[in-house]
């Protein structure tokens, strides 16, 4: 157990540091390693912000709605009254942060939640009727929310972990492909398209053989995952590689 503890701590220091690390391959060549779950989330956020840019009308409409009900006391009071009439939660609309895709998803979700109250208030005011979401707008917003809400819930849960590392990446990609972003028959074409684009982007980012080998090694060394997310035909090679790294790293007595 003592040796296993030493080995794991060495691998953590070598492979799981948030800084740029260095690792020797079996031919004593040095190659750069710079992968972490934090980098994974940044990659995911980059793709999701690209997705959001392609649906600017829907996002723009939500921003206008938030602005309308945030800047006037009269608008806030009218919304509260309409919420009570429709027996909706008395929630305020959410302002997005342009650099955080999660805030956009929450903004869209809140607009959909409050849509009956929002439409009632806007329809009663001749100056603001043009802001009433059309059925096409609502269809687009629903599709976006269906695609991104499960991903938002998952990333929120994972970011709350006390210890997260590169060893998570393999399992996260597996869950994204098989569950979180898997297309469902009842979903709209837009929802399926958004999910497909995200998956293609994320899978491509990590399909480099050297990157896959590193992910396999760290996943194998993590007692939570072991070989659970590694292809069966690669397990023996990964075991051999891990032993080689251990022998090269552990000081000889």
């Amino acid at each position: 157990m003592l040796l296993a503890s030493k080995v794991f701590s060495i691998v953590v220091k070598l492979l799981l540091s948030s800084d740029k690390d260095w690792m020797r391959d079996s031919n004593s060549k040095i190659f750069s390693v710079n992968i972490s779950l934090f980098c994974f989330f940044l990659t995911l956020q980059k793709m999701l912000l690209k997705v959001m840019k392609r649906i600017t009308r829907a996002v723009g409409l939500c921003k206008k709605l938030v602005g309308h009900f945030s800047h006037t006391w009269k608008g806030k009071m009218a919304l509260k009254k309409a919420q009570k009439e429709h027996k909706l939660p008395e929630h305020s609309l959410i302002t997005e942060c342009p650099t955080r895709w999660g805030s956009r998803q929450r903004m869209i979700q809140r607009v959909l939640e409050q849509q009956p109250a929002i439409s009632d208030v806007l329809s009663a005011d001749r100056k603001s009727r043009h802001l009433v979401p059309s059925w096409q707008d609502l269809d687009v917003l629903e599709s976006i929310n269906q695609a991104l809400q499960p991903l938002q819930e998952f990333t929120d849960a994972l970011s709350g972990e006390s210890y997260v590392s590169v060893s998570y990446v393999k399992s996260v990609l597996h869950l994204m492909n098989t569950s979180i972003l898997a297309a469902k028959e009842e979903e709209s074409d837009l929802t399926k398209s958004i999910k497909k684009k995200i998956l293609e982007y994320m899978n491509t980012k990590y399909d480099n053989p050297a990157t896959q080998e590193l992910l396999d090694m760290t996943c194998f060394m993590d007692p939570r995952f072991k070989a659970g997310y590694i292809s069966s035909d690669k397990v023996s090679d990964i075991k051999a590689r891990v032993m080689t790294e251990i022998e090269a790293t552990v000081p000889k007595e």
Side-chain angles (χ1 to χ4, degrees), residues 104-122:
R104 291 188 179 183
Q105 185 275 326
R106 284 189 284 269
M107 175 181 69
I108 291 171
Q109 186 177 25
R110 184 59 56 83
V111 167
L112 288 171
E113 175 195 82
Q114 299 295 329
Q115 182 269 323
I118 290 171
S119 294
D120 274 9
V121 174
L122 295 177

Side-chain angles (χ1 to χ4, degrees), residues 73-90:
W73 176 83
K74 182 179 179 181
K76 290 179 181 179
M77 295 304 296
L79 182 61
K80 281 191 175 184
K81 181 180 178 182
Q83 287 171 335
K84 290 179 180 178
E85 291 175 353
H86 287 276
K87 298 181 180 179
L88 294 172
E90 294 185 28

Side-chain angles (χ1 to χ4, degrees), residues 58-75:
V59 174
L61 174 62
C62 288
K63 290 168 70 173
K64 289 178 181 178
L65 293 173
V66 172
H68 178 82
F69 287 102
S70 298
H71 297 152
T72 66
W73 176 83
K74 182 179 179 181

Side-chain angles (χ1 to χ4, degrees), residues 30-75:
I30 302 293
F31 61 92
S32 175
V33 175
N34 188 20
I35 303 174
S36 69
L37 194 65
F38 179 68
C39 296
F40 179 88
F41 282 148
L42 288 181
T43 303
L44 177 60
Q45 175 155 308
K46 183 179 178 181
M47 176 56 197
L48 290 167
L49 289 175
K50 285 183 179 180
V51 169
M52 291 295 187
K53 285 181 180 178
R54 295 175 183 176
I55 44 180
T56 51
R57 171 177 163 76
V59 174
L61 174 62
C62 288
K63 290 168 70 173
K64 289 178 181 178
L65 293 173
V66 172
H68 178 82
F69 287 102
S70 298
H71 297 152
T72 66
W73 176 83
K74 182 179 179 181

Side-chain angles (χ1 to χ4, degrees), residues 144-160:
I144 298 169
N145 193 55
Q146 283 182 7
L148 301 185
Q149 185 180 359
L151 193 59
Q152 174 66 35
E153 292 172 351
F154 175 74
T155 53
D156 280 350
L158 194 57
S159 64

